[in-house]
Amino acid sequence: GQGIEFDYCYVHAAFACKELKYDTVMVNCNPETVSTDYDTSDRLYFEPLTFEDVMSIVEIEKPDGVIVQFGGQTPLRLALPLSRAGVPILGTSADAIDRAEDRERFDELLVKLSLRRPRGGIARGVKEAFTVADKIGYPVLVRPSYVLGGRAMEIVHTRADLSRYMAIALESIEEAESRTILIDEFLKDAIEVDVDCVSDGKRVVIGGVMQHIEEAGVHSGDSSMVLPAHALPPEVQGTIRSATRGLALELGVVGLMNVQYAVRGSAVYVIEVNPRASRTVPFISKATGVPLAKIAAKVMAGQTLEEIGFTREVVPKHVAVKESVFPFHKFPGVDIILGPEMRSTGEVMGIADTFPNAFLKAQLGSGVDLPDSGRVFISVRNDDKPAAAELALRLSELGLEIVATTGTQKAFGRAGVTAGHLNKVTDGRPHIVDSLLNGEIAMVINTTEGAQAIHDSKSLRRQTLLSGVPYFTTIAAATAAVGAIEARREHPMTVRSLQEYHADIAR
């Protein structure tokens, strides 16, 4: 597995196989995992997850079947070559996995099910990339197929950016079986939604529908998420659930499947389908008390969902928020702005009866202490100024002082919000970085767009991190933070055990 989320899935899969009286063989080259503990599986191989190494183990162990679903993209890429070599793949077939991963086959699947997807195309070189991107229109989301953790994935705004990106991307997939670059329309201001489900091939049960707090464009491993989805209309949620079931049944999924959607207005777009465990499986399992990975392993071993007793979605009465934890402190000079390439190294969960309180707990768990007083610096792109003015007003009513850069300050003035002035770094001193160094700023809200604006504001984001000041680089996250500050003022934070929350669901 690539991370602790997948490690969780493999451990639960090993336990499920033991319950079914199977001996388990674990292959994992990462010793910093629970799945490599001596008592997790019956046999353990510290070997790289390459076709040659896995085939050597298969020849020795002669397994009844191999599970590739729980380790993320790395073992998933082995499904097709292992299957061709005659190795029995348990659960979803190698062909179904390829059908979801191969762009042309996947597009045919969506057409058959009458599901929308962002306009897109495939490029195998720079010339083709320019043709596809020009046809779609900028900005576009570009990524290699079969990527790990959003590696080499980027939102590209101009032809020059695309030319620079292609040189990097083609190099990153030099050894891949499929040297293709996927180019998609970037759905600006869309809400991203993750859905995990489990299927036995005949019945599909939704594990959870999670709404991203950040807008589309931030990797799902980095984005904050809320379960259940707190701001999606019932009809949109109904469309998402129906589409998920249709996709799982059409693909013939046996085990887990993750679908990522983008919602803009009432339109639902399918971004991608992963016929495997996703990074959100442990979060859903902890939030609902349903061990999805264990259930999926039993399904892959031949049991039906009815036999297991999992036949309907469990929707929690409480609200759970997943917040990512980042290692930026350990990498001097790295920009902290979030995008489609994953950068987090862990996550925490906050649970409460309401979304603002759950978000507050998640922030505290990730080491972010939201301010109750002091000065808040706001500098946002033009599209975000109306929403930022509303946030500034709410913060002012809480007694916090607002300071802003020239353009943002003028927008606030037109909205009747009083704000002090503070220079951008490029406008001369004293500027925002000076104020951060002097300990004069309690919170930062900074959104940018375009390569030049992102570059110009990098020093601001870096110093914010070094000063230990809460920072928000999307309006959606800033809105959640302001709501959390208000909630803390209104009600003291309460603490309950996870078991108490799970008992409430069972009632």
Side-chain angles (χ1 to χ4, degrees), residues 352-432:
D353 293 329
T354 64
F355 170 66
N357 282 311
F359 185 83
L360 175 64
K361 288 182 178 180
Q363 292 301 303
L364 287 169
S366 62
V368 176
D369 191 6
L370 297 174
D372 206 39
S373 61
R375 187 179 289 179
V376 178
F377 172 75
I378 305 177
S379 180
V380 296
R381 59 182 184 158
N382 289 334
D383 289 353
D384 290 335
K385 280 169 182 169
E390 174 63 22
L391 294 182
L393 178 62
R394 288 164 62 185
L395 288 165
S396 297
E397 289 172 349
L398 290 167
L400 284 88
E401 182 187 349
I402 308 299
V403 290
T405 48
T406 304
T408 304
Q409 184 194 34
K410 286 178 180 175
F412 288 178
R414 290 191 293 271
V417 179
T418 304
H421 179 262
L422 198 52
N423 283 338
K424 292 180 182 177
V425 173
T426 52
D427 291 343
R429 309 183 87 153
H431 49 57
I432 173 58

Side-chain angles (χ1 to χ4, degrees), residues 226-288:
V226 56
L227 175 74
H230 71 300
L232 291 179
E235 62 272 19
V236 169
Q237 293 198 43
T239 300
I240 287 170
R241 287 183 168 92
S242 175
T244 303
R245 292 188 191 97
L247 285 162
L249 291 172
E250 178 60 31
L251 281 169
V253 168
V254 177
L256 285 163
M257 182 182 81
N258 168 264
V259 190
Q260 292 171 25
Y261 297 95
V263 178
R264 193 159 64 179
S266 60
V268 176
Y269 299 85
V270 178
I271 298 175
E272 65 178 7
V273 173
N274 295 302
R276 58 168 173 81
S278 77
R279 297 178 186 278
T280 48
V281 164
F283 169 63
I284 293 177
S285 298
K286 294 278 176 76
T288 62

Side-chain angles (χ1 to χ4, degrees), residues 63 78 171 427:
L78 296 176
E171 186 183 330
D427 291 343

